[in-house]
Amino acid sequence: MRPGERPEIASLPLFRDMQDEQRDRIFSGSFLQVFPPQLTLFEQGQRPDFLHVLVDGLVELYASGAGRDTTMRVVEPVSSFILAAVVTDMPYLMSARTLTSSRILLVPAAKIREVVRHDHAFMDATMRELAMAYRDMVRALTDMKLRQSAERLGNLLLQQEQRQGGTGTVKLRAEKRLLASLLGMTPENLSRAFGVLAAHGVRTDGANVTLADREALEALVRPDAISD
Amino acid sequence: MRPGERPEIASLPLFRDMQDEQRDRIFSGSFLQVFPPQLTLFEQGQRPDFLHVLVDGLVELYASGAGRDTTMRVVEPVSSFILAAVVTDMPYLMSARTLTSSRILLVPAAKIREVVRHDHAFMDATMRELAMAYRDMVRALTDMKLRQSAERLGNLLLQQEQRQGGTGTVKLRAEKRLLASLLGMTPENLSRAFGVLAAHGVRTDGANVTLADREALEALVRPDAISD
DNA sequence: GAGTGCAATTGATAAACATCAATCGAGGCG
DNA sequence: CGCCTCGATTGATGTTTATCAATTGCACTC
């Protein structure tokens, strides 16, 4: 592990408040591995072997079914993923693959379940993490059910703009085809959705998007009132 | 509380394994209330006052946004709802209303959060409940993104048939308009979806649905491989 | 047992979205 | 530099879903 990385992982909400001794147990049983781009980390249906913590790179979680695939989440560093499968010891509902070369901390699932049992603060953090993940999913589902495609895109841009510092500018981290899948539409329709938003102050230049008229965009997409 | 009801609530996975003493604290601070049909219990955006446990009746959780509503879940007895908002003490993401006259146990949210802190088994049960709820949401979202309307209906019928005893018969508990909203479609399209499924062995007579040819139906809708 | 109210259904039409087929354009390589 | 590859875009068309408008059918009332 590189200098500075371990503190960064340890300061994640999930690991922050647990006993030092228990955290040591978790980390000592884990190993950091580097994966090339486009590598499948695991597939849905498998029993969870490891809790994954993305340290560097980019990972896609996707689900297959009815003969098609759809992107469920793009994981950015530093954050953990597939916690729910690990604590319940039930099969993954999603598959994962690296998008870019990625450094991932692999924590044996059995160790997580064991430490959860014994460290109260860690269980508390796990509970909260799951509650927040649940809320994210509720929002994603209502978004899909209530909004049409251009509105979903506009909303995502507004959220990303905030998360990236509120500078009126958004940098798209993944390919547009992936963004389309995440938003539940085709790449073709994503292009057209950008076209629709152009009339509302959204300028796009490759992966750089500028929100010139936040007011107009918000009027169009009616963003979520509750954002955590 | 009626005789037999308290044991039934106490035997829920959420409350089953906790210390008797702590469970007593939860129940003694709670009260059971009867609500008439069509009554709004709470609205999204509010701070959570109570964990709700539906003892008898039927409750709809729905979300509003972009000028429309959509049903997120139909709660059947005996089960709790809005646990995630209660443990995080963050605003409800959904509203709730009774569909029929309902008896609901109201547990003060602050008491839940307090007991969660002190009772390890209760925190464990809460964590698991949230993990399962998260998984349900993942399935709901993939269903919405990957399948079209008739397939979603077929899938729901297959699941309900299993949950109702595998007799080849499904009893629809709610109005079809509600079922349509739950499935993310209009009532008109739900009717047409039943029409499509009729060619695959689905006979419908009011709220009673018969699955005459499970094989054919499964071939059409390609049900989820992983069902918990 | 006729009337009333409302959900469910059916049909016609429109909007949203997907698919198919080129074409464009930027990065990588000989 | 020119060529190649592949993602992004654009246009044409088809499918799915929503909307609008009756009509049907069932439960409830009087």
Side-chain angles (χ1 to χ4, degrees):
Chain A
M1 222 181 280
R2 292 177 187 160
E5 263 175 13
R6 180 169 160 157
E8 194 173 2
I9 300 171
S11 72
L12 287 174
L14 185 59
F15 301 116
R16 193 175 47 202
D17 300 321
M18 65 194 306
Q19 298 165 35
D20 294 340
E21 175 197 331
Q22 297 294 334
R23 188 166 42 235
D24 288 344
R25 287 188 60 208
I26 282 184
F27 287 158
S28 70
S30 312
F31 47 98
L32 195 68
Q33 202 165 330
V34 178
F35 296 95
Q38 299 302 330
L39 188 92
T40 299
L41 297 169
F42 54 81
E43 298 203 353
Q44 69 187 71
Q46 291 178 359
R47 271 303 190 73
D49 290 328
F50 301 102
L51 175 70
H52 292 56
V53 183
L54 179 63
V55 176
D56 195 57
L58 212 54
V59 167
E60 175 192 8
L61 301 184
Y62 62 99
S64 310
R68 297 189 303 181
D69 281 6
T70 191
T71 304
M72 297 295 283
R73 179 183 162 198
V74 176
V75 184
E76 295 181 22
V78 177
S79 54
S80 65
F81 53 101
I82 48 125
L83 182 58
V86 168
V87 301
T88 58
D89 196 19
M90 300 187 102
Y92 296 131
L93 295 177
M94 301 181 269
S95 307
R97 68 179 147 232
T98 55
L99 294 172
T100 65
S101 174
S102 297
R103 313 183 65 230
I104 297 175
L105 182 73
L106 298 167
V107 186
K111 179 137 296 196
I112 291 287
R113 288 192 294 272
E114 185 195 322
V115 175
V116 155
R117 261 196 307 272
H118 296 109
D119 187 307
H120 192 257
F122 184 50
M123 187 186 278
D124 189 72
T126 301
M127 182 187 73
R128 282 169 202 284
E129 186 105 352
L130 289 169
M132 294 304 254
Y134 171 80
R135 288 170 67 85
D136 284 344
M137 273 291 152
V138 169
R139 270 186 284 261
L141 183 60
T142 61
D143 194 49
M144 190 62 51
K145 289 178 80 176
L146 290 174
R147 279 191 263 256
Q148 48 197 46
S149 55
E151 298 176 84
R152 291 202 297 276
L153 172 60
N155 238 291
L156 179 136
L157 291 175
L158 284 167
Q159 284 169 225
Q160 284 291 83
E161 191 260 350
Q162 290 292 31
R163 294 210 310 148
Q164 293 181 18
T167 60
T169 263
V170 180
K171 179 102 183 168
L172 302 177
R173 276 160 167 68
E175 290 180 342
K176 291 219 179 85
R177 51 174 34 243
L178 195 89
L179 179 58
S181 178
L182 182 66
L183 289 169
M185 58 178 124
T186 58
E188 292 95 326
N189 274 324
L190 179 63
S191 273
R192 291 184 253 264
F194 271 114
V196 171
L197 297 188
H200 301 264
V202 177
R203 305 275 163 267
T204 132
D205 170 34
N208 293 76
V209 182
T210 323
L211 310 186
D213 189 350
R214 168 173 272 279
E215 300 265 314
L217 187 56
E218 286 184 348
L220 181 75
V221 306
R222 289 171 288 194
D224 291 331
I226 311 153
S227 59
D228 283 11
Chain B
M1 224 181 274
R2 292 177 187 161
E5 263 175 12
R6 181 169 161 157
E8 194 172 0
I9 299 172
S11 71
L12 287 174
L14 185 60
F15 301 116
R16 194 176 45 203
D17 300 321
M18 64 194 305
Q19 298 165 34
D20 294 341
E21 176 196 330
Q22 297 294 334
R23 188 166 41 234
D24 288 345
R25 286 186 60 208
I26 282 184
F27 286 159
S28 69
S30 312
F31 47 97
L32 195 68
Q33 202 167 330
V34 178
F35 297 94
Q38 299 301 328
L39 186 93
T40 299
L41 298 169
F42 54 80
E43 297 202 355
Q44 70 187 72
Q46 292 178 359
R47 273 301 192 74
D49 291 328
F50 301 102
L51 175 70
H52 293 54
V53 182
L54 179 63
V55 177
D56 196 57
L58 212 54
V59 168
E60 176 193 8
L61 301 183
Y62 62 99
S64 310
R68 297 189 302 180
D69 283 5
T70 190
T71 303
M72 298 295 283
R73 179 182 162 199
V74 176
V75 184
E76 293 181 21
V78 177
S79 56
S80 64
F81 53 101
I82 49 127
L83 182 58
V86 168
V87 302
T88 58
D89 196 19
M90 300 187 102
Y92 295 132
L93 295 177
M94 301 181 269
S95 307
R97 69 180 146 232
T98 55
L99 294 172
T100 65
S101 173
S102 297
R103 313 182 66 230
I104 298 175
L105 182 72
L106 298 167
V107 186
K111 178 138 296 199
I112 291 286
R113 288 193 295 271
E114 185 195 321
V115 175
V116 155
R117 262 196 306 273
H118 295 109
D119 186 307
H120 191 257
F122 184 50
M123 187 185 278
D124 189 71
T126 301
M127 182 187 73
R128 283 168 201 285
E129 186 104 352
L130 288 170
M132 294 304 257
Y134 172 79
R135 287 170 67 86
D136 284 344
M137 275 289 152
V138 169
R139 269 186 284 260
L141 184 58
T142 61
D143 193 49
M144 191 62 52
K145 288 178 81 176
L146 290 174
R147 280 191 263 257
Q148 48 196 48
S149 55
E151 298 175 85
R152 292 201 297 275
L153 172 59
N155 238 288
L156 178 135
L157 291 175
L158 284 168
Q159 284 169 226
Q160 285 289 85
E161 191 259 350
Q162 290 292 32
R163 295 210 310 147
Q164 294 181 17
T167 60
T169 264
V170 181
K171 179 99 184 170
L172 303 177
R173 276 160 166 67
E175 290 180 343
K176 290 217 179 88
R177 50 174 33 240
L178 195 90
L179 179 58
S181 178
L182 183 66
L183 289 169
M185 58 178 123
T186 58
E188 292 94 325
N189 275 323
L190 179 63
S191 273
R192 291 186 251 265
F194 271 114
V196 170
L197 297 188
H200 301 264
V202 177
R203 305 277 165 264
T204 132
D205 169 34
N208 293 77
V209 182
T210 324
L211 311 186
D213 188 350
R214 168 172 273 279
E215 300 264 314
L217 188 55
E218 286 183 348
L220 181 74
V221 307
R222 289 172 286 194
D224 291 331
I226 311 152
S227 57
D228 285 10

